[in-house]
Amino acid sequence: MPNLPQHGRYAYSAITDRPDFDWPDGRRLAVYLGMNLECFAFGEGLGAELAPGGPQPDVLNYGWRDYGNRVGAWRMLELFDRLSVPATVLVNSDLYDHAPGLVEAFRNRGDEIAGHGRTNAERQGVLDEDAERALIEEATKTVEQHEGKQPRGWLGPWISQSAVTPDLLEEAGYEYLLDWCHDDQPIWMNTRGGRILSVPYPQELNDIPQIVGRKREGAEFGDMICDAFEVMLEESARRPLVMGIALHGYLMGHPHRLKHLERALRHIRDNGGDQIWWTTAGAINDHYTHVVPD
């Protein structure tokens, strides 16, 4: 039987066998919000659907997605302000032109701005190496021009990677990526020029797979967040963990869902005590790099 193809990015490691460490101030469960700010092409390209799309231009689904930037993301920003919780904002670089003022509003509250490609109407993993490198460079340059510094983290549009994406990201100066949902702790990944950190990003506690993919609604998604938190908080006494929650304005920014997101986030805040660290993916990268350098 031929050998099973492998990626060579990291070796197997059981989470029960790793060295122990703490998050800052002795906390054990790092909690962060991955707030996706995305834009989509009109009349072509990829995009999540509220209902089966018709002929292009598919104004039903385009308008539903655009609601997230015009209304939903602002509603969620106000919620994060009410609860005084930070976010890692995953930004399509075309959004600076598509929705002026939106990324700036999250920046002004002190949130981390991370790279998320040019637009979510495309995937990077289907491109050849030169074209993918150009996409990363273009998106990075745009964010840097607006934010005054290069983003340190990257999430590919549609969680799309080619066989060389981690190499290209490390070569472009990125410190961490979020595409691999393979662990509840950060994991060092090998690249052809060094290494890059994989920070856990959720595909279960993620509103697109649950609401769009599995047709669950806001109340059930809120319950899932609470259930995961309770299990992970108890487990974190034995090992430090990362709990991410992935969100989109055109999903959780609707009023009937926002109330359940608020309920879940208040549950975490009110029951985590001094064991949880409300943080960002970038701060997780910084701390882990310091305490677990190898």
Side-chain angles (χ1 to χ4, degrees):
M1 181 178 294
N3 291 332
L4 187 68
Q6 299 292 310
H7 50 72
R9 297 293 182 184
Y10 54 83
Y12 175 76
S13 169
I15 197 169
T16 54
D17 295 338
R18 301 173 195 166
D20 195 16
F21 66 92
D22 289 331
W23 299 115
D25 300 318
R27 297 173 189 265
R28 302 291 291 177
L29 179 60
V31 179
Y32 81 94
L33 306 178
M35 180 64 191
N36 291 264
L37 297 184
E38 300 169 344
C39 54
F40 301 85
F42 180 71
E44 62 183 31
L46 302 174
E49 293 184 338
L50 171 67
Q56 294 289 1
D58 179 5
V59 297
L60 185 155
N61 285 304
Y62 178 84
W64 172 68
R65 293 188 294 263
D66 205 30
Y67 177 94
N69 295 328
R70 301 172 64 86
V71 182
W74 295 97
R75 185 174 281 136
M76 295 171 73
L77 183 149
E78 292 177 341
L79 170 61
F80 301 160
D81 278 347
R82 287 199 301 274
L83 299 180
S84 298
V85 294
T88 291
V89 185
L90 306 160
V91 173
N92 285 167
S93 61
D94 283 7
L95 199 70
Y96 288 102
D97 293 329
H98 181 79
L102 179 57
V103 181
E104 292 84 347
F106 282 90
R107 176 213 304 151
N108 290 340
R109 67 184 302 271
D111 290 329
E112 177 194 13
I113 307 299
H116 191 28
R118 297 178 297 208
T119 165
N120 263 50
E122 62 183 350
R123 287 187 176 94
Q124 70 186 81
V126 299
L127 303 175
D128 64 38
E129 183 169 342
D130 288 341
E132 184 179 10
R133 180 184 295 108
L135 182 154
I136 293 169
E137 289 177 351
E138 178 184 339
T140 303
K141 181 178 179 180
T142 299
V143 174
E144 185 173 6
Q145 288 174 339
H146 286 270
E147 302 302 324
K149 57 184 177 181
Q150 177 179 325
R152 296 182 298 130
W154 179 275
L155 175 72
W158 295 99
I159 320 294
S160 176
Q161 287 204 352
S162 72
V164 297
T165 300
D167 307 310
L168 295 175
L169 291 172
E170 188 270 334
E171 291 163 5
Y174 281 88
E175 299 175 14
Y176 74 89
L177 54 78
L178 294 164
D179 302 282
W180 291 62
C181 54
H182 60 140
D183 215 290
D184 284 336
Q185 291 181 350
I187 298 294
W188 286 111
M189 300 183 70
N190 302 315
T191 70
R192 63 193 178 192
R195 64 180 186 176
I196 192 169
L197 192 66
S198 174
V199 173
Y201 180 81
Q203 288 306 323
E204 290 285 341
L205 294 187
N206 185 322
D207 53 11
I208 283 187
Q210 297 302 337
I211 294 171
V212 176
R214 296 178 180 173
K215 308 304 180 186
R216 295 189 167 115
E217 256 307 337
E220 191 170 3
F221 186 62
D223 289 344
M224 290 173 59
I225 295 172
C226 294
D227 291 344
F229 164 70
E230 290 169 3
V231 171
M232 296 183 83
L233 180 65
E234 187 276 331
E235 183 183 334
S236 69
R238 302 188 295 279
R239 61 190 69 95
L241 300 173
V242 174
M243 177 181 171
I245 304 168
L247 305 167
H248 298 74
Y250 60 87
L251 290 171
M252 296 310 293
H254 283 273
H256 61 287
R257 297 192 185 107
L258 188 87
K259 64 176 290 184
H260 296 292
L261 176 62
E262 180 167 4
R263 167 175 61 85
L265 296 182
R266 287 187 181 278
H267 179 74
I268 295 172
R269 185 195 65 179
D270 295 345
N271 293 278
D274 60 2
Q275 292 300 100
I276 65 168
W277 177 36
W278 284 103
T279 188
T280 63
I284 291 169
N285 168 77
D286 292 345
H287 185 80
Y288 188 84
T289 301
H290 175 70
V291 300
V292 188
D294 298 320

mmCIF file of all heavy atoms in Angstrom, residues 204-235:
data_model
loop_
_atom_site.group_PDB
_atom_site.id
_atom_site.type_symbol
_atom_site.label_atom_id
_atom_site.label_comp_id
_atom_site.label_asym_id
_atom_site.label_seq_id
_atom_site.Cartn_x
_atom_site.Cartn_y
_atom_site.Cartn_z
ATOM 1 N N GLU A 204 -16.458 25.081 13.799
ATOM 2 C CA GLU A 204 -17.705 24.684 14.467
ATOM 3 C C GLU A 204 -18.396 25.904 15.074
ATOM 4 O O GLU A 204 -19.571 26.139 14.815
ATOM 5 C CB GLU A 204 -17.413 23.633 15.531
ATOM 6 C CG GLU A 204 -17.013 22.273 14.970
ATOM 7 C CD GLU A 204 -18.190 21.491 14.399
ATOM 8 O OE1 GLU A 204 -19.342 21.798 14.738
ATOM 9 O OE2 GLU A 204 -17.943 20.560 13.605
ATOM 10 N N LEU A 205 -17.671 26.679 15.876
ATOM 11 C CA LEU A 205 -18.238 27.925 16.409
ATOM 12 C C LEU A 205 -18.039 29.034 15.385
ATOM 13 O O LEU A 205 -17.368 30.041 15.610
ATOM 14 C CB LEU A 205 -17.592 28.291 17.749
ATOM 15 C CG LEU A 205 -17.864 27.347 18.909
ATOM 16 C CD1 LEU A 205 -17.303 27.909 20.205
ATOM 17 C CD2 LEU A 205 -19.356 27.049 19.070
ATOM 18 N N ASN A 206 -18.644 28.834 14.238
ATOM 19 C CA ASN A 206 -18.518 29.723 13.099
ATOM 20 C C ASN A 206 -19.897 29.856 12.480
ATOM 21 O O ASN A 206 -20.522 28.844 12.131
ATOM 22 C CB ASN A 206 -17.511 29.125 12.110
ATOM 23 C CG ASN A 206 -17.209 30.022 10.934
ATOM 24 O OD1 ASN A 206 -18.079 30.697 10.403
ATOM 25 N ND2 ASN A 206 -15.957 29.999 10.498
ATOM 26 N N ASP A 207 -20.395 31.079 12.344
ATOM 27 C CA ASP A 207 -21.783 31.248 11.926
ATOM 28 C C ASP A 207 -22.053 30.795 10.485
ATOM 29 O O ASP A 207 -23.164 30.382 10.164
ATOM 30 C CB ASP A 207 -22.273 32.681 12.155
ATOM 31 C CG ASP A 207 -21.376 33.746 11.538
ATOM 32 O OD1 ASP A 207 -20.483 33.401 10.752
ATOM 33 O OD2 ASP A 207 -21.574 34.942 11.862
ATOM 34 N N ILE A 208 -21.050 30.819 9.599
ATOM 35 C CA ILE A 208 -21.314 30.374 8.226
ATOM 36 C C ILE A 208 -21.564 28.865 8.153
ATOM 37 O O ILE A 208 -22.600 28.435 7.621
ATOM 38 C CB ILE A 208 -20.182 30.804 7.270
ATOM 39 C CG1 ILE A 208 -20.323 32.288 6.940
ATOM 40 C CG2 ILE A 208 -20.231 29.990 5.970
ATOM 41 C CD1 ILE A 208 -19.377 32.793 5.892
ATOM 42 N N PRO A 209 -20.664 27.999 8.666
ATOM 43 C CA PRO A 209 -20.983 26.561 8.602
ATOM 44 C C PRO A 209 -22.276 26.196 9.332
ATOM 45 O O PRO A 209 -23.021 25.318 8.875
ATOM 46 C CB PRO A 209 -19.764 25.900 9.263
ATOM 47 C CG PRO A 209 -18.661 26.874 9.078
ATOM 48 C CD PRO A 209 -19.304 28.222 9.176
ATOM 49 N N GLN A 210 -22.548 26.866 10.450
ATOM 50 C CA GLN A 210 -23.727 26.493 11.225
ATOM 51 C C GLN A 210 -25.021 27.036 10.617
ATOM 52 O O GLN A 210 -25.983 26.289 10.431
ATOM 53 C CB GLN A 210 -23.571 26.979 12.675
ATOM 54 C CG GLN A 210 -22.415 26.345 13.421
ATOM 55 C CD GLN A 210 -22.509 24.831 13.487
ATOM 56 O OE1 GLN A 210 -23.574 24.246 13.366
ATOM 57 N NE2 GLN A 210 -21.366 24.178 13.689
ATOM 58 N N ILE A 211 -25.054 28.324 10.323
ATOM 59 C CA ILE A 211 -26.307 28.944 9.887
ATOM 60 C C ILE A 211 -26.544 28.751 8.397
ATOM 61 O O ILE A 211 -27.647 28.384 7.963
ATOM 62 C CB ILE A 211 -26.314 30.439 10.275
ATOM 63 C CG1 ILE A 211 -26.345 30.568 11.804
ATOM 64 C CG2 ILE A 211 -27.497 31.157 9.648
ATOM 65 C CD1 ILE A 211 -26.130 31.970 12.316
ATOM 66 N N VAL A 212 -25.502 28.977 7.586
ATOM 67 C CA VAL A 212 -25.655 28.793 6.144
ATOM 68 C C VAL A 212 -25.572 27.319 5.774
ATOM 69 O O VAL A 212 -26.384 26.806 5.006
ATOM 70 C CB VAL A 212 -24.587 29.603 5.382
ATOM 71 C CG1 VAL A 212 -24.681 29.347 3.877
ATOM 72 C CG2 VAL A 212 -24.743 31.094 5.663
ATOM 73 N N GLY A 213 -24.568 26.612 6.330
ATOM 74 C CA GLY A 213 -24.339 25.229 5.939
ATOM 75 C C GLY A 213 -25.306 24.244 6.566
ATOM 76 O O GLY A 213 -25.917 23.427 5.876
ATOM 77 N N ARG A 214 -25.457 24.316 7.895
ATOM 78 C CA ARG A 214 -26.264 23.322 8.599
ATOM 79 C C ARG A 214 -27.669 23.810 8.924
ATOM 80 O O ARG A 214 -28.438 23.105 9.566
ATOM 81 C CB ARG A 214 -25.534 22.901 9.881
ATOM 82 C CG ARG A 214 -24.212 22.202 9.579
ATOM 83 C CD ARG A 214 -23.462 21.836 10.834
ATOM 84 N NE ARG A 214 -22.198 21.164 10.517
ATOM 85 C CZ ARG A 214 -21.272 20.854 11.407
ATOM 86 N NH1 ARG A 214 -21.450 21.163 12.694
ATOM 87 N NH2 ARG A 214 -20.161 20.259 11.037
ATOM 88 N N LYS A 215 -27.988 25.034 8.518
ATOM 89 C CA LYS A 215 -29.333 25.606 8.641
ATOM 90 C C LYS A 215 -29.775 25.739 10.100
ATOM 91 O O LYS A 215 -30.958 25.629 10.412
ATOM 92 C CB LYS A 215 -30.355 24.780 7.841
ATOM 93 C CG LYS A 215 -29.956 24.533 6.399
ATOM 94 C CD LYS A 215 -29.690 25.825 5.636
ATOM 95 C CE LYS A 215 -29.299 25.551 4.193
ATOM 96 N NZ LYS A 215 -28.903 26.791 3.471
ATOM 97 N N ARG A 216 -28.811 25.929 10.994
ATOM 98 C CA ARG A 216 -29.169 26.215 12.375
ATOM 99 C C ARG A 216 -29.461 27.705 12.515
ATOM 100 O O ARG A 216 -29.009 28.521 11.719
ATOM 101 C CB ARG A 216 -28.034 25.797 13.311
ATOM 102 C CG ARG A 216 -27.806 24.287 13.291
ATOM 103 C CD ARG A 216 -26.833 23.858 14.376
ATOM 104 N NE ARG A 216 -26.861 22.424 14.550
ATOM 105 C CZ ARG A 216 -25.837 21.600 14.295
ATOM 106 N NH1 ARG A 216 -24.704 22.094 13.860
ATOM 107 N NH2 ARG A 216 -25.952 20.310 14.480
ATOM 108 N N GLU A 217 -30.195 28.054 13.581
ATOM 109 C CA GLU A 217 -30.543 29.463 13.769
ATOM 110 C C GLU A 217 -29.806 30.047 14.976
ATOM 111 O O GLU A 217 -29.042 29.369 15.656
ATOM 112 C CB GLU A 217 -32.049 29.644 13.886
ATOM 113 C CG GLU A 217 -32.680 30.198 12.614
ATOM 114 C CD GLU A 217 -32.018 31.483 12.108
ATOM 115 O OE1 GLU A 217 -31.373 32.211 12.889
ATOM 116 O OE2 GLU A 217 -32.135 31.762 10.906
ATOM 117 N N GLY A 218 -30.055 31.347 15.213
ATOM 118 C CA GLY A 218 -29.301 32.090 16.200
ATOM 119 C C GLY A 218 -29.370 31.517 17.601
ATOM 120 O O GLY A 218 -28.359 31.492 18.327
ATOM 121 N N ALA A 219 -30.534 31.040 18.003
ATOM 122 C CA ALA A 219 -30.670 30.504 19.359
ATOM 123 C C ALA A 219 -29.796 29.278 19.543
ATOM 124 O O ALA A 219 -29.115 29.126 20.574
ATOM 125 C CB ALA A 219 -32.132 30.166 19.640
ATOM 126 N N GLU A 220 -29.784 28.395 18.552
ATOM 127 C CA GLU A 220 -28.966 27.192 18.663
ATOM 128 C C GLU A 220 -27.482 27.532 18.597
ATOM 129 O O GLU A 220 -26.666 26.933 19.305
ATOM 130 C CB GLU A 220 -29.336 26.193 17.570
ATOM 131 C CG GLU A 220 -28.711 24.826 17.782
ATOM 132 C CD GLU A 220 -29.260 23.771 16.841
ATOM 133 O OE1 GLU A 220 -30.096 24.101 15.977
ATOM 134 O OE2 GLU A 220 -28.849 22.601 16.979
ATOM 135 N N PHE A 221 -27.124 28.494 17.753
ATOM 136 C CA PHE A 221 -25.728 28.910 17.675
ATOM 137 C C PHE A 221 -25.282 29.515 19.007
ATOM 138 O O PHE A 221 -24.182 29.239 19.496
ATOM 139 C CB PHE A 221 -25.533 29.906 16.534
ATOM 140 C CG PHE A 221 -24.093 30.276 16.288
ATOM 141 C CD1 PHE A 221 -23.158 29.326 15.908
ATOM 142 C CD2 PHE A 221 -23.673 31.589 16.418
ATOM 143 C CE1 PHE A 221 -21.832 29.672 15.675
ATOM 144 C CE2 PHE A 221 -22.362 31.953 16.185
ATOM 145 C CZ PHE A 221 -21.429 30.993 15.811
ATOM 146 N N GLY A 222 -26.141 30.324 19.627
ATOM 147 C CA GLY A 222 -25.815 30.859 20.943
ATOM 148 C C GLY A 222 -25.642 29.760 21.977
ATOM 149 O O GLY A 222 -24.725 29.822 22.816
ATOM 150 N N ASP A 223 -26.499 28.754 21.931
ATOM 151 C CA ASP A 223 -26.365 27.624 22.855
ATOM 152 C C ASP A 223 -25.050 26.881 22.633
ATOM 153 O O ASP A 223 -24.406 26.430 23.586
ATOM 154 C CB ASP A 223 -27.535 26.647 22.665
ATOM 155 C CG ASP A 223 -28.860 27.204 23.174
ATOM 156 O OD1 ASP A 223 -28.837 28.186 23.935
ATOM 157 O OD2 ASP A 223 -29.907 26.641 22.805
ATOM 158 N N MET A 224 -24.654 26.721 21.373
ATOM 159 C CA MET A 224 -23.398 26.045 21.070
ATOM 160 C C MET A 224 -22.213 26.789 21.681
ATOM 161 O O MET A 224 -21.285 26.172 22.222
ATOM 162 C CB MET A 224 -23.207 25.931 19.554
ATOM 163 C CG MET A 224 -24.143 24.971 18.871
ATOM 164 S SD MET A 224 -23.987 25.042 17.064
ATOM 165 C CE MET A 224 -22.260 24.620 16.876
ATOM 166 N N ILE A 225 -22.227 28.112 21.585
ATOM 167 C CA ILE A 225 -21.149 28.907 22.177
ATOM 168 C C ILE A 225 -21.099 28.674 23.681
ATOM 169 O O ILE A 225 -20.024 28.452 24.259
ATOM 170 C CB ILE A 225 -21.343 30.400 21.856
ATOM 171 C CG1 ILE A 225 -21.209 30.642 20.346
ATOM 172 C CG2 ILE A 225 -20.332 31.249 22.630
ATOM 173 C CD1 ILE A 225 -21.571 32.053 19.915
ATOM 174 N N CYS A 226 -22.250 28.714 24.334
ATOM 175 C CA CYS A 226 -22.296 28.500 25.785
ATOM 176 C C CYS A 226 -21.820 27.102 26.155
ATOM 177 O O CYS A 226 -21.047 26.922 27.113
ATOM 178 C CB CYS A 226 -23.714 28.727 26.304
ATOM 179 S SG CYS A 226 -24.306 30.430 26.166
ATOM 180 N N ASP A 227 -22.277 26.094 25.413
ATOM 181 C CA ASP A 227 -21.887 24.711 25.707
ATOM 182 C C ASP A 227 -20.384 24.519 25.538
ATOM 183 O O ASP A 227 -19.723 23.889 26.381
ATOM 184 C CB ASP A 227 -22.642 23.747 24.798
ATOM 185 C CG ASP A 227 -24.130 23.669 25.108
ATOM 186 O OD1 ASP A 227 -24.530 24.110 26.201
ATOM 187 O OD2 ASP A 227 -24.886 23.167 24.255
ATOM 188 N N ALA A 228 -19.836 25.032 24.437
ATOM 189 C CA ALA A 228 -18.396 24.893 24.203
ATOM 190 C C ALA A 228 -17.605 25.594 25.294
ATOM 191 O O ALA A 228 -16.604 25.058 25.795
ATOM 192 C CB ALA A 228 -18.030 25.464 22.837
ATOM 193 N N PHE A 229 -18.047 26.774 25.693
ATOM 194 C CA PHE A 229 -17.354 27.511 26.746
ATOM 195 C C PHE A 229 -17.329 26.725 28.042
ATOM 196 O O PHE A 229 -16.283 26.623 28.706
ATOM 197 C CB PHE A 229 -18.026 28.867 26.955
ATOM 198 C CG PHE A 229 -17.638 29.530 28.249
ATOM 199 C CD1 PHE A 229 -16.357 30.030 28.432
ATOM 200 C CD2 PHE A 229 -18.546 29.618 29.291
ATOM 201 C CE1 PHE A 229 -15.990 30.624 29.627
ATOM 202 C CE2 PHE A 229 -18.192 30.204 30.486
ATOM 203 C CZ PHE A 229 -16.905 30.715 30.659
ATOM 204 N N GLU A 230 -18.443 26.148 28.426
ATOM 205 C CA GLU A 230 -18.500 25.430 29.703
ATOM 206 C C GLU A 230 -17.553 24.226 29.701
ATOM 207 O O GLU A 230 -16.854 23.975 30.693
ATOM 208 C CB GLU A 230 -19.944 25.001 29.982
ATOM 209 C CG GLU A 230 -20.851 26.187 30.297
ATOM 210 C CD GLU A 230 -22.316 25.815 30.320
ATOM 211 O OE1 GLU A 230 -22.636 24.613 30.145
ATOM 212 O OE2 GLU A 230 -23.167 26.722 30.497
ATOM 213 N N VAL A 231 -17.517 23.496 28.596
ATOM 214 C CA VAL A 231 -16.617 22.346 28.509
ATOM 215 C C VAL A 231 -15.162 22.809 28.508
ATOM 216 O O VAL A 231 -14.315 22.264 29.224
ATOM 217 C CB VAL A 231 -16.928 21.513 27.253
ATOM 218 C CG1 VAL A 231 -15.867 20.437 27.039
ATOM 219 C CG2 VAL A 231 -18.308 20.864 27.378
ATOM 220 N N MET A 232 -14.850 23.820 27.728
ATOM 221 C CA MET A 232 -13.469 24.270 27.612
ATOM 222 C C MET A 232 -12.980 24.946 28.887
ATOM 223 O O MET A 232 -11.802 24.834 29.247
ATOM 224 C CB MET A 232 -13.311 25.196 26.406
ATOM 225 C CG MET A 232 -13.586 24.508 25.082
ATOM 226 S SD MET A 232 -13.315 25.549 23.630
ATOM 227 C CE MET A 232 -11.538 25.359 23.430
ATOM 228 N N LEU A 233 -13.867 25.642 29.586
ATOM 229 C CA LEU A 233 -13.455 26.257 30.846
ATOM 230 C C LEU A 233 -13.054 25.181 31.848
ATOM 231 O O LEU A 233 -12.022 25.289 32.518
ATOM 232 C CB LEU A 233 -14.594 27.105 31.416
ATOM 233 C CG LEU A 233 -14.284 27.810 32.743
ATOM 234 C CD1 LEU A 233 -13.182 28.851 32.556
ATOM 235 C CD2 LEU A 233 -15.551 28.458 33.307
ATOM 236 N N GLU A 234 -13.848 24.116 31.951
ATOM 237 C CA GLU A 234 -13.506 23.028 32.872
ATOM 238 C C GLU A 234 -12.209 22.341 32.443
ATOM 239 O O GLU A 234 -11.332 22.062 33.258
ATOM 240 C CB GLU A 234 -14.663 22.028 32.910
ATOM 241 C CG GLU A 234 -14.520 20.926 33.962
ATOM 242 C CD GLU A 234 -13.678 19.754 33.482
ATOM 243 O OE1 GLU A 234 -13.646 19.496 32.259
ATOM 244 O OE2 GLU A 234 -13.023 19.099 34.335
ATOM 245 N N GLU A 235 -12.061 22.099 31.151
ATOM 246 C CA GLU A 235 -10.874 21.417 30.650
ATOM 247 C C GLU A 235 -9.621 22.265 30.807
ATOM 248 O O GLU A 235 -8.517 21.734 30.988
ATOM 249 C CB GLU A 235 -11.073 21.053 29.177
ATOM 250 C CG GLU A 235 -9.921 20.267 28.575
ATOM 251 C CD GLU A 235 -10.123 19.983 27.102
ATOM 252 O OE1 GLU A 235 -11.289 19.934 26.650
ATOM 253 O OE2 GLU A 235 -9.109 19.819 26.405
#
